[in-house]
Amino acid sequence: MREVPASGRGQPAFKQPRGKVIAMPTPAIVRRRRYVRWVMASLGAVLMAAAAGRIYLTITRRPSAEQIAGVSADEARIVQLVNAERVKAGLLPLKLSARLTVAARGHSYDMALRHYFSHHSADGVSPAQRIRGSGIDYTEFGENIYVDDFPDRQRLAERALAGWMRSPGHRKNILAPSFNETGVGMARAADGSTYITQDFIRK
């Protein structure tokens, strides 16, 4: 009689038959899905890189004076026209100051809200006090103001410049060789009138 151990040792070994691997072609729909996923992943990577680049440029690029002050198209147009007159007269163009723009706009809003037209505010604040109060240092200053009640605002900037150039005092400010910075601010009153202030300084 033969004993058989519990571990199974001593049992006859049987060879397992080897299976044959047959390569099956990948269905066309699966290949298309893989391609679409690859394209979408690549596109996503490109978009992420573009977004990261835009964020980097936004953080590292110093904003312009126009961006800081939120200059409108009409305000920018006045600066452009004034500088064109200066260049025509052989003078250097004025640099736009964000702080001076905010100060000028503040005076225009005050005139529009309280319905007056003067270089001095209704409380008696002078242009010099307004500019100094905005934290701006200067050695010389000038100011032009203008009010326009035309319903058509298409050529507002051109009308303001034409009015100033006809006035000796305003023209003198625009063509003063000593000034090197400017700020322009507009405000619209409830009656539709537009008030414009342009400040000039020499630092």
Side-chain angles (χ1 to χ4, degrees):
M1 211 174 186
R2 187 164 64 91
E3 291 184 3
V4 179
S7 64
R9 291 179 183 178
Q11 293 179 351
F14 295 97
K15 290 185 177 181
Q16 296 290 333
R18 292 185 179 179
K20 188 175 182 181
V21 178
I22 301 174
M24 296 291 292
T26 306
I29 189 168
V30 174
R31 290 199 303 271
R32 282 198 297 270
R33 286 175 181 169
R34 287 178 182 171
Y35 177 73
V36 169
R37 282 198 295 268
W38 177 82
V39 169
M40 294 300 291
S42 300
L43 183 59
V46 170
L47 290 175
M48 288 291 289
R54 186 177 181 86
I55 291 169
Y56 173 78
L57 289 174
T58 301
I59 293 171
T60 57
R61 184 186 298 161
R62 187 175 181 181
S64 65
E66 289 90 343
Q67 291 172 323
I68 294 171
V71 175
S72 70
D74 284 332
E75 290 167 344
R77 179 65 176 154
I78 285 180
V79 175
Q80 181 185 20
L81 292 172
V82 165
N83 279 335
E85 291 293 335
R86 288 178 64 85
V87 170
K88 197 189 303 181
L91 303 171
L92 291 173
L94 300 169
K95 178 185 174 184
L96 181 65
S97 163
R99 283 189 177 183
L100 206 55
T101 295
V102 172
R105 190 178 294 138
H107 185 54
S108 292
Y109 271 107
D110 192 52
M111 289 192 291
L113 288 171
R114 299 206 271 182
H115 303 290
Y116 69 90
F117 184 66
S118 171
H119 290 287
H120 287 70
S121 74
D123 301 325
V125 178
S126 69
Q129 290 172 317
R130 284 197 311 274
I131 296 170
R132 291 282 189 201
S134 299
I136 301 168
D137 292 324
Y138 62 88
T139 56
E140 186 180 351
F141 81 94
E143 181 174 84
N144 288 351
I145 56 175
Y146 176 82
V147 62
D148 187 299
D149 58 2
F150 280 74
D152 178 18
R153 298 188 65 193
Q154 291 299 315
R155 296 185 60 80
L156 175 61
E158 284 78 4
R159 289 196 298 271
L161 182 73
W164 287 336
M165 293 300 285
R166 286 194 298 267
S167 166
H170 294 87
R171 182 188 177 92
K172 184 178 178 182
N173 282 337
I174 290 172
L175 300 179
S178 56
F179 291 143
N180 51 28
E181 292 191 14
T182 189
V184 179
M186 294 184 179
R188 196 174 183 106
D191 63 1
S193 299
T194 302
Y195 291 80
I196 304 173
T197 303
Q198 181 169 22
D199 288 321
F200 306 84
I201 60 168
R202 175 168 68 90
K203 282 196 166 184

